[in-house]
Amino acid sequence: MAKSETDFGVGYPIAIGPGLIDSVHAHLLDVPRSFRIALITDSTVGDLYADRVRAGLGRESDLITIAPGESSKTRETWATITDQLTDRGFGRDSILLAFGGGVIGDLTGFVAGTYMRGIQFVQIPTTLLAMVDASIGGKTGVDTPGGKNLVGVFHRPSTVIIDPQVLGTLPLNHLRSGFAEVIKHGVIADRDYFTEVAESVGRLVAPESRSSEGLTSLIARSVQIKAEVVASDERESGRRRILNFGHTIGHAVEAASNYSLLHGEAVAVGMALESRLAERAGIAEKGTAKRLEDVLTIAGLPRLVPDGISADDVMRLMQSDKKNRAGRIEFALPAGIGKMFEADGRWSVPVDVALIREVLHEKN
């Protein structure tokens, strides 16, 4: 697939194509030469690709490296990075490059959104999950002991640069994790796309398919779906809530695992159980949950709460979910594959606590 660039209606350009990390400068042409640039990454991604990105910038840049993993997505890391920027003399005419997975993107975006009341940043995602989800939409934030992403701001990136070739070094479990969001996009918005993903996911997780045109095409369609939803409701006051499918239970399961589960693995569990909730609440067509769970299985993703995680812990964490209203746990639920439930302009609904507990305890 040739390089493509469009804003997909979100108000900033999104470039998708192989080899783009070697020519980041081409997507920063509107940035004045006086700007300071900091490349923020983790040690794993930095060791692999940071030199290539910095060489392709065609100008000097600072490198800030943090430890990999969700455990770095904290207020403490935010403070460390902002202190480094201050110590190095970064001003309001600076730009940050978020080069990594969703943790780096969310954290760097939060730093950019709050440093000197807001500076520019660029998303350069290196995981499938970040490419199709976290890098698009302007949500930034950090985790707290109370749950995921409870502290953050909406802050748009100046541009998003997606290079599928970097997926060649992505561990298999992280690639599978990314397919959870790809599958989700089919469920929430496009039945035909869901079918396409179902037919190809088993093949595309193979090592030789990491940089294939087929995978690049799926990435582009997922980006388009995410961008279209975001463009219709940037601040999540309405339809954007459909992107939360799988995340109410998923975020709680992820936190309850002390982040030993990858985000996509937890979202897969959330989607499977929330689709069961939708059927039992009379919202989803019969068979919706099975169709979804069959594809999750092909992708090598989990469907049930792992042993060792209690339903009580998951319920407690869901109670602090920022999507809740009036103390009730709310869910974005499918009406079927390719269509989300909507009633009177609302795209999320409360579900009886007893029904939630029922699906959390299921073992098959």
Side-chain angles (χ1 to χ4, degrees):
M1 178 179 175
K3 182 187 80 172
S4 63
E5 183 173 312
T6 179
D7 70 3
F8 291 101
V10 291
Y12 45 86
I14 301 171
I16 305 171
L20 293 190
I21 66 165
D22 295 310
S23 58
V24 173
H25 71 280
H27 304 279
L28 301 179
L29 296 179
D30 294 331
V31 177
R33 295 289 298 184
S34 60
F35 273 36
R36 294 283 302 278
I37 296 178
L39 181 69
I40 300 178
T41 189
D42 66 48
S43 55
T44 299
V45 174
D47 287 348
L48 290 168
Y49 297 113
D51 287 346
R52 286 175 58 182
V53 174
R54 299 179 79 189
L57 280 171
R59 55 189 295 186
E60 290 189 6
S61 63
D62 284 51
L63 179 65
I64 296 176
T65 304
I66 66 171
E70 192 78 26
S71 60
S72 289
K73 190 177 157 185
T74 64
R75 288 170 290 190
E76 290 73 24
T77 310
W78 167 85
T80 297
I81 294 173
T82 53
D83 287 347
Q84 287 190 53
L85 294 174
T86 302
D87 292 344
R88 300 184 193 191
F90 276 72
R92 296 188 70 180
D93 60 346
S94 303
I95 189 166
L96 308 182
L97 308 184
F99 185 50
V103 168
I104 289 292
D106 286 358
L107 180 61
T108 302
F110 185 45
V111 171
T114 52
Y115 186 72
M116 296 193 173
R117 296 194 177 93
I119 63 174
Q120 294 190 75
F121 84 110
V122 171
Q123 288 272 19
I124 313 174
T126 60
T127 66
L128 178 59
L129 191 146
M131 290 177 183
V132 302
D133 183 60
S135 66
I136 314 296
K139 280 186 176 182
T140 73
V142 294
D143 304 333
T144 74
K148 278 180 64 72
N149 302 321
L150 292 184
V151 176
V153 295
F154 285 94
H155 188 59
R156 288 182 174 185
S158 298
T159 189
V160 180
I161 302 168
I162 297 173
D163 183 349
Q165 286 187 343
V166 301
L167 298 178
T169 54
L170 190 68
L172 178 58
N173 62 330
H174 285 261
L175 186 71
R176 293 185 188 279
S177 174
F179 267 103
E181 293 288 351
V182 172
I183 293 165
K184 183 194 79 176
H185 289 148
V187 175
I188 68 171
D190 190 334
R191 179 189 291 262
D192 291 341
Y193 180 59
F194 178 86
T195 300
E196 180 184 355
V197 173
E199 293 173 348
S200 61
V201 64
R203 180 178 73 256
L204 292 177
V205 294
E208 62 272 15
S209 299
R210 300 288 184 91
S211 301
S212 70
E213 186 171 323
L215 183 53
T216 302
S217 178
L218 286 187
I219 291 170
R221 177 58 183 143
S222 265
V223 168
Q224 183 180 29
I225 290 171
K226 173 76 182 278
E228 286 174 350
V229 174
V230 168
S232 69
D233 177 25
E234 186 173 16
R235 294 282 173 160
E236 201 174 22
S237 59
R239 185 169 177 259
R240 183 170 177 166
R241 291 174 184 167
I242 68 175
L243 294 169
N244 292 323
F245 172 53
H247 286 63
T248 301
I249 291 178
H251 275 169
V253 169
E254 184 180 6
S257 77
N258 290 319
Y259 302 103
S260 61
L261 278 180
L262 296 174
H263 177 68
E265 293 171 335
V267 168
V269 172
M271 288 193 295
L273 298 185
E274 290 177 23
S275 63
R276 295 186 186 192
L277 280 179
E279 283 196 38
R280 294 177 194 185
I283 287 172
E285 301 169 359
K286 294 296 183 185
T288 298
K290 185 178 187 309
R291 285 194 67 191
L292 171 57
E293 292 184 40
D294 285 348
V295 179
L296 293 174
T297 299
I298 294 171
L301 289 165
R303 302 176 296 105
L304 301 169
V305 177
D307 292 338
I309 296 178
S310 74
D312 286 342
D313 284 345
V314 175
M315 289 296 299
R316 174 181 56 79
L317 287 160
M318 281 195 289
Q319 292 288 352
S320 64
D321 192 293
K322 57 188 177 297
K323 299 184 292 296
N324 294 342
R325 296 294 182 271
R328 301 180 301 177
I329 301 174
E330 296 211 352
F331 295 84
L333 297 176
I337 300 298
K339 182 180 179 181
M340 293 296 282
F341 177 74
E342 183 268 336
D344 300 323
R346 287 178 52 79
W347 295 92
S348 61
V349 294
V351 176
D352 183 78
V353 169
L355 192 56
I356 300 171
R357 286 189 174 277
E358 180 181 309
V359 300
L360 290 176
H361 280 103
E362 289 182 349
K363 296 300 180 184
N364 57 61

